[in-house]
Amino acid sequence: MEFIDLKAQQEQILPNGRKLKEVISDNIQNVLDHGRYILGPEVEELELILKNFTGAKYCIATASGTDALLIALMALNISNGDEVITTPFSFISTSEVIELLGAKPVFVDIDPNTYNINPNKIEEVISTKTKAILPVSLYGQPANFIEINLLAKKYNLPVIEDAAQSFGSTHNGKFSCTLSTIGTTSFFPSKPFGCYGDGGACFTNNNDLAAKIRKISRHGQEERYIHSDLGINGRIDTLQAAILLAKFPLFKQEIISRQNSAEIYNKKLKKIGINSIPTISQLNTSVYAQYTIQVDNRKEIQSHLKKLGIPTAVHYPTILPDQPALGGPQVHCKFTEATRASKRVLSLPMHPYLSQDNQEFIVNSISKII
Ligand SMILES: *Cc1c(COP(=O)(O)O)cnc(C)c1O
């Protein structure tokens, strides 16, 4: 059994009656034929499709989700000495990009139900140095942007959504990536919408920011060899764009399929007495980038499942403020919810092609150890 089965997807039949695998091959061959490996026509086509899908005014495809975050912060002029409010419970990228720009991540504990930043605790850390708020929409559901945006408006702060795990989900009827000043996502292979390498995108409705993001992702280039700003090499590869274009027609159905699998897990797990199933806010839909529960004896359960051939994962065993690269374990008692979650969360296999039989087997196997 795979934790995320990427091969099963290749066998799927697209709405046009063709196998995904074949369309991917054709799309790759097309790129080899036209030879425009950097910013070929597939990149523009992808940006158009993603823009229309989310309803964002602008989409700029990037080399990765991390680059999308970095570029977003650069476009907002985040630099030395600035503070960016963010969550302690995420993948390293979220804080890494803040530190890389010489700014400081200021962490706010999570809501233990959704695992996303707790909006009620943001105001107390806003200072004169605060330049942005960077919430993550973890495991596939958006953070509480209604609340976060109210605060941001009060203090005139831009908000960046790290939507690496939530592309395709919704909050209050709007798509993730369009919920704040800038939304960023990732097309890392195991994300809900993944390519076969690295890729990502920035979304915004702001004209000036869109132009800035585009420029920064291309070495700050105004016209050929005229660089009016410092930028990075942050473009998506044409080949990755071509692969995403092939996969896109499956995406909506895949979201539904993930949601169905989540419902099945919910029911089966409740039956065996596990109540720590994912809590999805009434305002949200989730794309279940992860299906994550909480358990007391995580190590034991993981090794028991591993012996039976069931892969599991922990997202994330260490909170960001405790990462050596970000300062290391500090004496703090401020992130109790994130710390507690980091010790208890367990992600089960989740992908659009997970069979009910496998789910049955996974839950039965868990029931035998708890
Ligand atoms: C995957 C991920 C990223 C980074 O995306 P890459 O495309 O791997 O650079 C950033 N933030 C979160 C929350 C992620 O899950």
Side-chain angles (χ1 to χ4, degrees):
M1 195 187 307
E2 304 273 341
F3 185 69
I4 296 174
D5 191 342
L6 296 174
K7 276 217 171 118
Q9 189 190 43
Q10 295 173 5
E11 302 303 323
Q12 300 304 307
I13 308 293
L14 297 173
N16 67 6
R18 299 192 60 211
K19 208 178 244 190
L20 175 62
K21 214 162 135 170
E22 293 164 14
V23 178
I24 287 174
S25 290
D26 285 359
N27 283 11
I28 290 174
Q29 189 57 51
N30 275 340
V31 176
L32 301 189
D33 290 344
H34 69 54
R36 293 179 57 194
Y37 303 116
I38 304 298
L39 296 178
E42 286 82 357
V43 174
E44 207 176 316
E45 205 182 320
L46 176 71
E47 288 175 345
L48 185 67
I49 280 180
L50 300 181
K51 189 176 86 153
N52 290 342
F53 173 78
T54 55
K57 210 161 155 198
Y58 302 98
C59 168
I60 301 96
T62 61
S64 70
T66 308
D67 276 353
L69 279 169
L70 182 65
I71 293 165
L73 291 178
M74 287 171 79
L76 293 166
N77 300 316
I78 305 298
S79 67
N80 246 341
D82 292 342
E83 292 181 358
V84 178
I85 295 171
T86 188
T87 170
F89 198 50
S90 180
F91 182 59
I92 185 75
S93 300
T94 322
S95 287
E96 191 178 37
V97 292
I98 299 170
E99 292 270 354
L100 280 173
L101 293 172
K104 185 180 146 202
V106 173
F107 297 106
V108 168
D109 207 358
I110 57 167
D111 169 343
N113 295 312
T114 62
Y115 303 103
N116 284 325
I117 194 167
N118 185 339
N120 300 326
K121 294 189 173 163
I122 293 177
E123 195 159 16
E124 62 201 61
V125 301
I126 294 177
S127 79
T128 51
K129 289 183 178 167
T130 307
K131 291 290 149 58
I133 308 175
L134 172 39
V136 177
S137 296
L138 202 71
Y139 300 156
Q141 76 165 318
N144 190 339
F145 282 92
I146 292 188
E147 301 275 336
I148 294 165
N149 287 337
L150 276 175
L151 267 176
K153 201 169 171 197
K154 181 167 163 194
Y155 291 92
N156 198 20
L157 293 168
V159 180
I160 303 153
E161 180 194 13
D162 180 350
Q165 302 186 7
S166 61
F167 185 72
S169 69
T170 59
H171 175 70
N172 203 22
K174 283 171 73 180
F175 274 103
S176 179
C177 293
T178 69
L179 305 173
S180 62
T181 319
I182 303 173
T184 69
T185 196
S186 163
F187 307 126
F188 186 84
S190 60
K191 306 282 164 154
F193 188 50
C195 55
Y196 291 148
D198 282 305
C202 289
F203 297 82
T204 184
N205 287 337
N206 182 301
N207 202 2
D208 295 341
L209 279 177
K212 227 166 153 187
I213 288 167
R214 198 170 287 284
K215 199 160 138 186
I216 292 168
S217 73
R218 299 166 187 193
H219 296 295
Q221 184 163 270
E222 188 86 52
E223 50 187 292
R224 196 151 213 199
Y225 302 133
I226 305 294
H227 305 271
S228 50
D229 284 311
L230 286 180
I232 64 168
N233 178 350
R235 310 156 299 212
I236 196 170
D237 286 352
T238 306
L239 276 170
Q240 298 306 337
I243 289 160
L244 288 168
L245 282 173
K247 288 186 174 195
F248 184 76
L250 284 178
F251 186 51
K252 273 188 191 160
Q253 188 52 47
E254 287 186 339
I255 294 174
I256 295 170
S257 173
R258 285 172 179 276
Q259 290 167 342
N260 289 341
S261 294
E263 281 304 316
I264 291 168
Y265 267 141
N266 288 346
K267 275 194 201 126
K268 289 190 188 299
L269 286 166
K270 268 190 194 157
K271 252 189 208 158
I272 65 161
I274 291 187
N275 293 314
S276 59
I277 58 171
T279 307
I280 308 304
S281 152
Q282 296 256 356
L283 290 166
N284 291 344
T285 60
S286 176
V287 291
Y288 293 96
Q290 307 299 342
Y291 184 92
T292 305
I293 59 173
Q294 286 192 37
V295 290
D296 296 323
N297 45 344
R298 184 169 71 193
K299 258 203 175 136
E300 231 179 301
I301 293 179
Q302 277 197 291
S303 68
H304 169 77
L305 294 178
K306 195 176 169 192
K307 274 185 217 135
L308 298 171
I310 302 171
T312 56
V314 174
H315 307 97
Y316 296 90
T318 304
I319 64 169
L320 292 174
D322 286 350
Q323 289 291 352
L326 299 172
Q330 299 160 355
V331 185
H332 63 67
C333 51
K334 282 186 290 188
F335 314 115
T336 25
E337 298 299 350
T339 304
R340 183 179 145 85
S342 71
K343 296 193 163 86
R344 293 173 48 82
V345 288
L346 179 69
S347 301
L348 304 180
M350 169 54 86
H351 58 85
Y353 308 104
L354 183 60
S355 73
Q356 285 212 37
D357 285 352
N358 275 345
Q359 287 193 280
E360 180 84 32
F361 177 55
I362 293 163
V363 177
N364 279 344
S365 306
I366 295 172
S367 78
K368 282 182 192 137
I369 180 110
I370 55 164

